[in-house]
Amino acid sequence: MAQDSETLLGRVVASISTGGDPTPSGRHQKSILSQAAASFARRPTEAESTIPTGFDPQAASLFEAVIEASYLVANADGDFDDTERATFEKVVHEACQNAVQQSEVRALVSDLSDQLEEDGMDQRIAMVSRSVTSDNHKLEVLRIAALMAYISGGVDETERDVMAKLAAGF
């Protein structure tokens, strides 16, 4: 069973790290998540704030929105235990093709947990919905959130409800 679960994780990671539709030549491009992760990883620290880094704040914001949407779907049932959290963090890290360090993913998930607890599900869904403006990005956010939900044994009704609220917000 553990091997089946690892195979599923590998397939989901591969699907998330590539774009949804292949190019006309049949090749997959890097997903929006992978591309945005590279910019997120280049965000400057306070000491580097005036040094050119190639940081794109809009791409970093998109990365955070993709991760938050997936996190909200994963938390739809109100039960996000340590095992599920570790799996979520591992999949995000690997789907980003290791562009974002595991410690950064862990810190982001911790922040998302605090925000969800403070604001509640509906307000966080509204925040994510407002932060993604491109139609292609909206579809990719929903695709990745659905794939992340699939990891935990399929997409249940509560997860579908959160995705429907995200879609309605978009």
Side-chain angles (χ1 to χ4, degrees):
M1 183 70 169
Q3 187 175 14
D4 290 341
S5 136
E6 285 300 314
T7 303
L8 173 62
L9 285 178
R11 288 195 322 253
V12 170
V13 167
S15 184
I16 291 172
S17 64
T18 60
D21 294 326
T23 63
S25 66
R27 297 180 56 156
H28 283 275
Q29 297 179 348
K30 288 175 83 173
S31 75
I32 290 170
L33 176 67
S34 298
Q35 294 174 42
S39 183
F40 179 85
R42 287 191 297 268
R43 68 192 184 291
T45 63
E46 285 184 37
E48 303 171 324
S49 62
T50 60
I51 300 171
T53 61
F55 174 67
D56 178 354
Q58 290 178 324
S61 176
L62 177 60
F63 172 79
E64 290 173 346
V66 170
I67 302 307
E68 183 166 12
S70 298
Y71 180 79
L72 294 173
V73 171
N75 276 274
D77 63 1
D79 181 29
F80 194 69
D81 62 25
D82 290 341
T83 302
E84 192 171 0
R85 181 180 178 138
T87 301
F88 182 89
E89 290 173 0
K90 176 183 177 183
V91 169
V92 169
H93 174 70
E94 290 179 11
C96 294
Q97 299 174 341
N98 304 322
V100 179
Q101 299 297 315
Q102 286 180 319
S103 60
E104 293 174 300
V105 172
R106 196 173 309 112
L108 178 58
V109 171
S110 181
D111 289 345
L112 295 174
S113 176
D114 293 344
Q115 291 171 355
L116 179 58
E117 187 176 322
E118 184 177 312
D119 297 339
M121 183 67 76
D122 289 338
Q123 187 171 345
R124 294 314 310 162
I125 289 170
M127 294 296 291
V128 170
S129 297
R130 284 194 299 268
S131 69
V132 182
T133 56
S134 160
D135 288 343
N136 288 338
H137 293 170
K138 292 172 185 179
L139 290 172
E140 186 69 359
V141 167
L142 291 171
R143 183 183 78 85
I144 291 171
L147 285 166
M148 293 293 281
Y150 184 72
I151 291 171
S152 63
V155 183
D156 68 22
E157 191 169 332
T158 60
E159 292 164 331
R160 270 193 298 278
D161 289 344
V162 171
M163 287 190 290
K165 287 179 181 180
L166 280 166
F170 289 153

